[in-house]
């Protein structure tokens, strides 16, 4: 009989084989990070438990799955041993580039919250998190996800430290925060992630993010890197046109949207979501035409700066985006780029539900970054396996239905 198949062309057996091969390969890549063989083995067991079917991936449950008498080895891996979590982050990014790399990819920036009790966990405090939809006691992590036609996975992360932390040396020391870590806004953390990706040669053409990140420092960094962007901004964000278009406009984003003729709005899909097709009304206002060479000497393209507005047809709710794109970019392409932000939300949900992203029980700076980086590796491994499985051509059904 025909074998059961997963999404794409690979059979279940082929997909399992790809998973085993991929796991073996990433174990070999990460082993040199740990110095001592016993620490490397603990890291490998940790990774295996993240990939397993445990309903919760807490220390005791991970230890039991690994055959340990208690969680002490895993606690040591996250907190007491010496190894570089940033080195692991770089391995994850390289793995994603190899398995999902695409020149037209989008780097998506967003944040997520980690609900916590008490005051000792590094970076914890009463702050807003979209995960809970309110101000609550939590940690906040800023993440970069790589989204291409082949799949999506996380490639970078940073724990946000509120000023209440960075202004308290005793608290920083207790959480083992490195001495060179100072206060950085979320947009600054995002800019650092983008620059790390650029320096590493990560191929992407666009950056997408919500209104927390639609600020000048990220915009200018991307212009100088000759990368396009679709970044959320507030309705009060001011836009000026420099004579481009039939009706030059200037003013706050919400006023420009309010005054636009209805015929300028078009209905386009931002992609398929969990509740079906995400169909919205869109307004594209190209405002200025600029030369790429003014920002990057080798860039001979002409770029358009503009305003993109999304309107929910159900309730009229509006969202606004500042845009930088090569001349000739269609509204459909801009909508597609904006729609990739949904992928990082999907990634957070999957990483928490399936890989234990929010099951970190350590309180230190190193513990957070090490646990999150290992989760990112597990996620990237499976994203790469899915991409490989989708590449496999389904075998033809045998002429004899009883023939294997």
């Amino acid at each position: 009989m025909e074998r059961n198949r997963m999404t794409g062309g690979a059979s279940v057996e082929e997909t399992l084989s790809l998973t085993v091969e991929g796991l073996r390969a990433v174990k070999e890549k990460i082993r040199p990070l740990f110095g001592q063989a016993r620490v490397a083995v603990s890291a490998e067991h940790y990774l295996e438990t993240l990939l397993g079917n445990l309903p919760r991936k807490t220390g005791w449950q991970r230890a039991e799955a690994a055959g340990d008498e208690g969680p002490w080895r895993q606690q040591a891996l996250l907190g007491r041993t010496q190894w570089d979590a940033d080195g692991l982050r770089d391995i994850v990014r390289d793995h994603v580039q190899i398995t999902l790399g695409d020149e037209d990819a989008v780097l998506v920036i967003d944040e997520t919250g980690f609900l916590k009790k008490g005051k000792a966990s590094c970076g914890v405090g009463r702050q807003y998190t979209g995960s809970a939809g309110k101000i609550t006691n939590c940690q906040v992590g800023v993440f970069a996800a790589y989204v291409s036609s082949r799949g999506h996975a996380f490639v970078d992360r940073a724990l946000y430290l509120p000023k209440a932390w960075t202004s308290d040396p005793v608290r920083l020391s207790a959480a083992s925060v490195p001495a060179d870590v100072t206060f950085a806004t979320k947009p600054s953390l995002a800019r650092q992630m983008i620059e790390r990706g650029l320096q590493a040669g990560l191929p992407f053409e666009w950056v997408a993010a919500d209104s927390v990140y639609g600020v000048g420092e990220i915009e200018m960094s991307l212009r100088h890197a000759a990368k396009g962007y679709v970044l959320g901004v507030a309705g009060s964000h001011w836009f000026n046109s420099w004579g481009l278009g039939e009706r030059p406009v200037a003013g706050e984003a919400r006023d420009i949207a309010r005054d636009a003729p209805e015929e300028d709005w078009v209905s386009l899909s931002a992609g398929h979501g969990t509740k079906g097709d995400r169909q919205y009304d869109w307004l594209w206002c190209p405002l200025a035409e600029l030369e790429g060479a003014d920002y990057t000497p080798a860039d001979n393209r002409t770029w358009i700066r503009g305003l993109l507005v999304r309107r929910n047809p159900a309730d009229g709710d509006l969202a606004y985006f500042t845009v930088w794109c090569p001349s000739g970019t269609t509204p459909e392409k801009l909508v597609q780029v904006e729609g990739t932000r949904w992928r990082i939300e999907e990634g957070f949900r999957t990483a928490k539900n399936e890989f234990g992203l929010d099951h970190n029980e350590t309180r230190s700076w190193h513990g957070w970054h090490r646990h999150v980086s290992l989760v990112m590796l597990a996620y990237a491994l499976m994203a790469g396996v899915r991409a490989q499985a989708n590449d496999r051509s389904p075998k033809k059904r045998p002429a004899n239905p009883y023939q294997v």
Side-chain angles (χ1 to χ4, degrees):
M1 61 171 59
E2 186 177 26
R3 297 170 181 171
N4 293 327
R5 297 191 176 275
M6 298 182 69
T7 302
S11 67
V12 171
E13 292 91 336
E14 289 170 327
T15 302
L16 288 174
S17 177
L18 289 171
T19 304
V20 171
E21 293 172 5
L23 182 58
R24 183 184 303 117
V26 298
K27 283 181 178 180
E28 292 177 358
K29 288 180 182 178
I30 68 175
R31 202 163 290 149
L33 287 175
F34 303 103
Q36 295 180 319
R38 61 178 180 81
V39 181
V41 170
S42 292
E44 292 171 4
H45 288 167
Y46 199 106
L47 181 61
E48 290 168 353
T49 59
L50 294 177
L51 292 166
N53 294 322
L54 296 174
R56 281 191 60 80
K57 295 175 169 63
T58 60
W60 277 99
Q61 289 172 318
R62 289 194 304 266
E64 183 178 345
D68 294 336
E69 294 182 356
W72 306 286
R73 288 182 182 175
Q74 309 226 341
Q75 290 170 348
L77 174 70
L78 296 183
R80 293 191 294 275
T81 56
Q82 299 296 317
W83 61 276
D84 183 13
D86 288 348
L88 179 56
R89 173 204 63 201
D90 294 345
I91 290 173
V92 173
R93 183 191 58 230
D94 293 344
H95 184 80
V96 171
Q97 179 172 343
I98 292 170
T99 57
L100 306 180
D102 183 345
E103 293 296 332
D104 196 43
V106 183
L107 197 65
V108 183
I109 307 295
D110 204 353
E111 63 194 63
T112 191
F114 302 83
L115 302 183
K116 291 290 181 180
K117 297 180 180 179
K119 299 179 180 180
S121 296
C122 189
V124 73
R126 288 191 58 78
Q127 51 195 324
Y128 178 82
T129 170
S131 307
K134 61 181 180 180
I135 295 176
T136 187
N137 202 57
C138 66
Q139 297 169 308
V140 172
V142 180
F143 288 77
Y146 188 82
V147 182
S148 77
S149 59
R150 294 180 54 76
H152 58 277
F154 299 103
V155 291
D156 210 336
R157 75 292 175 266
L159 179 62
Y160 171 69
L161 292 182
K163 288 184 178 180
W165 272 83
T166 56
S167 62
D168 189 339
V170 174
R171 206 175 187 190
L172 293 175
S173 177
S176 301
V177 178
D180 60 347
V181 174
T182 58
F183 176 74
T185 65
K186 294 170 187 175
S188 292
L189 295 175
R191 178 181 53 77
Q192 293 169 25
M193 292 181 186
I194 293 167
E195 292 175 352
R196 281 196 290 266
L198 291 169
Q199 291 169 3
L202 184 68
F204 63 93
E205 194 61 31
W206 301 88
V207 170
D210 68 13
S211 58
V212 174
Y213 305 96
V215 296
E217 67 175 299
I218 292 180
E219 289 189 90
M220 294 309 297
S221 178
L222 291 171
R223 290 188 191 187
H224 286 294
K227 300 297 182 183
Y229 58 73
V230 180
L231 304 174
V233 292
S236 59
H237 194 88
W238 188 272
F239 288 87
N240 282 313
S241 70
W242 296 350
L244 191 62
E246 296 180 2
R247 291 183 298 275
V249 296
E252 293 185 352
R254 56 193 168 203
D255 295 331
I256 296 173
R258 182 196 61 208
D259 296 338
E262 187 59 33
E263 58 266 25
D264 287 358
W265 294 83
V266 295
S267 179
L268 296 169
S269 171
H272 195 77
T274 54
K275 298 180 180 179
D277 197 46
R278 294 178 295 132
Q279 197 79 20
Y280 295 98
D281 299 327
W282 300 86
L283 175 69
W284 167 229
C285 301
L287 302 175
E289 192 174 77
L290 300 165
E291 297 304 318
D294 292 340
Y295 299 91
T296 307
D299 185 10
N300 58 7
R301 291 175 292 177
T302 299
W303 291 77
I304 303 298
R305 182 182 61 80
L307 164 67
L308 181 69
V309 185
R310 185 188 69 206
R311 183 175 67 189
N312 189 327
D315 57 15
D317 184 55
L318 299 177
Y320 312 92
F321 305 89
T322 180
V323 173
W324 178 255
C325 63
S327 180
T329 304
T330 64
E332 289 81 2
K333 179 62 178 180
L334 297 177
V335 169
Q336 176 193 340
V337 172
E338 194 282 323
T340 60
R341 292 195 306 120
W342 175 76
R343 291 300 182 187
I344 196 170
E345 296 174 10
E346 178 188 69
F348 287 140
R349 184 170 58 252
T350 301
K352 289 182 179 182
N353 292 340
E354 303 296 332
F355 297 105
L357 180 64
D358 56 349
H359 296 173
N360 178 27
E361 297 168 315
T362 64
R363 295 177 173 179
S364 71
W365 168 273
H366 299 294
W368 189 91
H369 285 87
R370 290 172 178 178
H371 171 77
V372 168
S373 299
L374 285 162
V375 171
M376 286 168 52
L377 179 60
Y379 194 110
L381 170 62
M382 296 312 299
V385 167
R386 168 177 268 186
Q388 289 179 285
N390 288 338
D391 288 341
R392 298 291 178 95
S393 299
K395 296 179 181 179
K396 295 182 179 179
R397 183 187 296 272
N400 181 345
Y402 298 100
Q403 179 181 349
V404 175

